[in-house]
Amino acid sequence: SPENSYDRRVLSKILVWLHQGGSGDRNEINLNGQVERMIWNGLSAEDENCRLENCLKTMGGRCPFYKARMDAESAHILIVNHALLLADAATENRVLPAFNYLIVDEAHHLESATTDAMAFHLSPYDIRRSIRELGSHEYGLLSQIWTAVQSRLIPSELAQLSVTIGKITDIAVRFDTYMGQYFKALEFVLEDLREGRPIGTYAQQVRVLPSLRSLPIWFDVETAWDDAHASLQSLLLQLKALRESVYTPEDSDDDIADIMGSIATLSQHLSEIGEKIEQLTMTPLTDQIYWVEFDPLQSRLSLHATPLHIGSLMEKYLWHEKDSIVLTSATLTTHGDFDYLKQRLNAEDAYEMTVGSPFDYETAVMLYLPHDIPEPSDQYGHQKTVENCIIRLARVTGGRMLVLFTSYAQLKKTSQAIQPHLAKFDITVYEQGEGASASSLLDSFKENDRAVLLGTRAFWEGVDVPGEALSALVIVKLPFDVPSDPIIAARSESFDNPFAEYSLPEAILRFRQCFGRLIRTRSDRGIVVLLDKRLITKQYGRFFIESLPNCHLQQSSIANLPEHAARWLGH
């Protein structure tokens, strides 16, 4: 049942969506912010308690998850996303029906998808939500068990149970309080590291390394965790005693069994939280990356952990478990070979094959490199040139343009600058943001024959706009990862030459995917404009160009772009 305005808003969205024929697929519904997404996770089939037998018992087979799972059980071929595949692997094949043969499309995503699937995230909100779920005599799981046993226990047993429930509630509240102090101690560490300066608009991310744990201020974090850890251990012991005193496996009461199953799941979840915080605070594992993050927009601090390398996980869950696995993608190679991806996935023994493209890129695509655009390091000059370029090119193409950014802040700034100018020519600007979902935004773009779509990472790949609906693709900057990102920084340290061996191949893979947005059929024709002068001025620039199919390469000035585009597109 909804406990706050966030719960009510998400439930309202879901009810309206399902009533209007929604399939239950997460991609169809728009959820804003981390809180709404966390509420969804608690309701969706990702929840550990969501099993077929529970679903049938509580929903009578009406749930979209149950229908989809029953269809899957009788199917010969299953089509799932990377997240579901890896969730199945991580739970030792308890999510999907058994299978021996696997084809992974867009396989260049396996490392990032596995990283996400194995990641740990925790905020104070998660702790409070778990404590609320546990509840007391009046609400939550404890209230449910108190109500369910009224007719089964004698008065003395009820009195003892009441004392136990009261004790659990008190300890749970104490654990929540201590965790609040723990998070506050971490906030002081982050504030100390930025020397008291305001945080700004971007999240502060700090890796938890031995050097950080050796600082005097970290002692306050350890002290706060000692108190929280002790209360958590006491809480877990009390929950175990509760389960043993109220329920036995021979118990025939389904309601009590369900409630106890939920309490057991919650206990396991709290235990795992304790293990992860203990590692982050005191005893880190060498194969994990740990960091603390403060989001200024939501004023929220969170803890994070994820695997340093995923190759061994690929071996454990996939390579050594299936009879045959095929990895396929338009972008498995960097500079002509598979070595980089094979090394990242521990797939050195895999057979490899390169298949040529069916498209004649040389007659279909003009690759335009302006030689007089300012370097990205000249933020003001580069930004103004980007804005003018988009406006002038859009007038020639009549819209039908996708512009890809590496920064959401730059996307917003560009959108605000170009909208008034393009509106005069009846060209609509769509921008990726917190409003419409990526899929609904793309649908609107396809339906409007005079539109420009501005996107960040969600649009760098997987976007399919065949035909004249997309005539121009503008790439504002080369898609390098942010070096300070904790995962990127940690993995970079494992290379002798991090830029050449890690950052560059990753950027090339993303660049090639982005390029593939333009030509989707044999009859497509278009222009790709690269607004990053580093392609010309840096030695590594040629690797990006050489990674693409042979196109009609045109180097000229920004001023000549509209003329070249009009001639190439036949306008």
Side-chain angles (χ1 to χ4, degrees):
S1 60
E3 295 181 4
N4 54 50
S5 60
Y6 291 111
D7 288 345
R8 288 189 288 272
R9 186 163 64 215
V10 174
L11 287 172
S12 298
K13 282 185 181 182
I14 292 172
L15 290 172
V16 170
W17 167 52
L18 293 178
H19 180 70
Q20 294 177 346
S23 69
D25 188 335
R26 166 68 179 83
N27 288 330
E28 293 179 356
I29 189 170
N30 184 43
L31 300 173
N32 294 327
Q34 185 180 11
V35 174
E36 289 197 5
R37 289 191 286 270
M38 285 193 297
I39 294 170
W40 166 271
N41 288 340
L43 295 169
S44 75
E46 292 180 33
D47 187 86
E48 297 166 355
N49 237 7
C50 194
R51 300 185 178 91
L52 277 184
E53 57 273 17
N54 292 350
C55 190
L56 180 62
K57 189 185 303 178
T58 57
M59 297 297 293
R62 299 188 306 277
C63 177
F65 164 69
Y66 182 81
K67 294 175 182 177
R69 182 61 195 264
M70 293 310 293
D71 288 343
E73 291 286 351
S74 59
H76 293 94
I77 298 175
L78 292 181
I79 301 176
V80 303
N81 61 18
H82 290 174
L84 195 59
L85 169 68
L86 294 165
D88 180 67
T91 57
E92 298 179 347
N93 303 117
R94 291 205 305 267
V95 176
L96 300 173
F99 64 94
N100 295 319
Y101 305 97
L102 172 66
I103 299 174
V104 183
D105 193 20
E106 306 291 9
H108 60 284
H109 269 320
L110 260 183
E111 181 175 26
S112 60
T114 305
T115 300
D116 290 342
M118 303 299 175
F120 168 80
H121 310 287
L122 183 74
S123 72
Y125 179 85
D126 299 318
I127 299 293
R128 286 193 295 273
R129 189 169 183 83
S130 294
I131 299 306
R132 282 204 308 272
E133 183 183 350
L134 183 58
S136 65
H137 286 91
E138 288 77 32
Y139 64 93
L141 293 171
L142 294 178
S143 174
Q144 293 175 33
I145 200 67
W146 176 245
T147 302
V149 300
Q150 291 297 310
S151 61
R152 299 179 70 241
L153 300 183
I154 61 176
S156 60
E157 291 172 331
L158 281 173
Q160 181 58 47
L161 177 61
S162 180
V163 170
T164 301
I165 289 175
K167 192 178 297 184
I168 290 173
T169 302
D170 291 343
I171 297 172
V173 170
R174 190 158 65 246
F175 171 60
D176 188 24
T177 301
Y178 283 141
M179 282 304 298
Q181 295 171 0
Y182 173 80
F183 279 107
K184 182 60 68 176
L186 285 172
E187 281 189 41
F188 284 137
V189 170
L190 266 59
E191 185 178 346
D192 185 70
L193 291 175
R194 62 177 188 268
E195 298 177 335
R197 292 188 297 268
I199 192 170
T201 57
Y202 294 102
Q204 181 184 6
Q205 297 176 316
V206 175
R207 283 175 64 195
V208 184
L209 297 168
S211 57
L212 181 63
R213 294 188 187 91
S214 66
L215 293 177
I217 197 171
W218 191 259
F219 179 74
D220 295 336
V221 177
E222 294 179 350
T223 302
W225 172 238
D226 282 340
D227 293 335
H229 195 203
S231 62
L232 175 59
Q233 294 301 106
S234 179
L235 176 60
L236 294 174
L237 285 173
Q238 289 294 330
L239 289 174
K240 181 182 179 183
L242 173 68
R243 297 198 305 274
E244 292 173 349
S245 65
V246 173
Y247 175 73
T248 61
E250 295 79 24
D251 202 314
S252 60
D253 192 315
D254 288 343
D255 289 339
I256 293 179
D258 286 346
I259 299 167
M260 283 303 171
S262 297
I263 290 177
T265 299
L266 180 59
S267 296
Q268 179 62 30
H269 178 60
L270 290 171
S271 177
E272 290 171 356
I273 286 175
E275 290 175 6
K276 286 295 184 182
I277 302 177
E278 175 71 16
Q279 292 169 13
L280 183 145
T281 312
M282 305 282 204
T283 54
L285 301 179
T286 57
D287 62 350
Q288 291 283 305
I289 306 166
Y290 304 97
W291 75 97
V292 181
E293 182 173 318
F294 186 79
D295 181 355
L297 298 179
Q298 299 188 55
S299 190
R300 185 198 303 276
L301 187 140
S302 52
L303 312 179
H304 303 263
T306 200
L308 177 59
H309 300 294
I310 60 92
S312 59
L313 298 173
M314 292 291 94
E315 291 178 325
K316 177 180 178 182
Y317 292 123
L318 292 178
W319 307 158
H320 296 166
E321 290 296 313
K322 307 302 176 186
D323 293 345
S324 174
I325 297 177
V326 176
L327 306 184
T328 179
S329 168
T331 51
L332 289 177
T333 61
T334 54
H335 209 241
D337 63 55
F338 294 84
D339 294 351
Y340 173 73
L341 213 63
K342 290 171 76 170
Q343 181 262 328
R344 299 304 299 164
L345 300 176
N346 279 22
E348 285 86 353
D349 296 333
Y351 298 105
E352 60 189 51
M353 180 175 65
T354 303
V355 180
S357 171
F359 304 136
D360 181 3
Y361 284 99
E362 196 146 13
T363 60
V365 179
M366 172 187 283
L367 202 61
Y368 198 91
L369 275 68
H371 57 64
D372 55 352
I373 188 170
E375 293 262 5
S377 55
D378 176 4
Q379 293 185 12
Y380 179 81
H382 184 261
Q383 177 62 27
K384 289 302 174 186
T385 307
V386 167
E387 293 166 5
N388 291 332
C389 172
I390 294 171
I391 292 169
R392 296 179 66 211
L393 182 58
R395 289 176 59 183
V396 171
T397 62
R400 300 188 299 182
M401 181 192 304
L402 175 61
V403 187
L404 296 176
F405 296 81
T406 57
S407 157
Y408 182 66
Q410 188 179 20
L411 182 154
K412 289 291 293 182
K413 185 183 294 185
T414 305
S415 178
Q416 292 167 2
I418 69 174
Q419 280 192 35
H421 296 279
L422 293 182
K424 297 174 185 176
F425 300 95
D426 194 31
I427 296 174
T428 305
V429 176
Y430 295 105
E431 62 176 82
Q432 178 186 348
E434 281 290 305
S437 65
S439 58
S440 62
L441 198 61
L442 187 61
D443 289 340
S444 299
F445 173 71
K446 290 178 182 178
E447 292 166 5
N448 188 339
D449 62 359
R450 293 185 65 81
V452 173
L453 175 58
L454 311 182
T456 55
R457 179 158 292 194
F459 288 94
W460 279 80
E461 58 182 279
V463 173
D464 193 356
V465 189
E468 290 192 356
L470 182 60
S471 295
L473 172 68
V474 178
I475 301 174
V476 175
K477 288 181 184 176
L478 294 175
F480 286 108
D481 284 311
V482 179
S484 60
D485 178 276
I487 297 175
I488 303 304
R491 289 178 175 166
S492 294
E493 292 166 2
S494 63
F495 293 92
D496 293 332
N497 186 341
F499 179 79
E501 297 177 65
Y502 182 51
S503 299
L504 187 59
E506 284 290 327
I508 289 174
L509 287 173
R510 202 169 294 125
F511 180 75
R512 292 183 62 202
Q513 273 292 323
C514 165
F515 175 83
R517 300 313 95 215
L518 186 65
I519 304 301
R520 310 302 294 173
T521 70
R522 290 177 186 267
S523 60
D524 282 354
R525 185 175 176 86
I527 179 171
V528 178
V529 183
L530 307 174
L531 298 181
D532 194 329
K533 197 175 182 180
R534 291 175 293 182
L535 285 160
I536 301 171
T537 59
K538 302 296 183 184
Q539 285 189 333
Y540 60 75
R542 67 182 182 85
F543 293 123
F544 286 90
I545 303 301
E546 291 170 1
S547 73
L548 299 178
N550 288 328
C551 304
H552 177 78
L553 182 62
Q554 181 70 54
Q555 288 194 41
S556 188
S557 68
I558 282 286
N560 293 336
L561 172 59
E563 178 188 346
H564 281 289
R567 191 181 305 130
W568 182 258
L569 297 172
H571 292 179

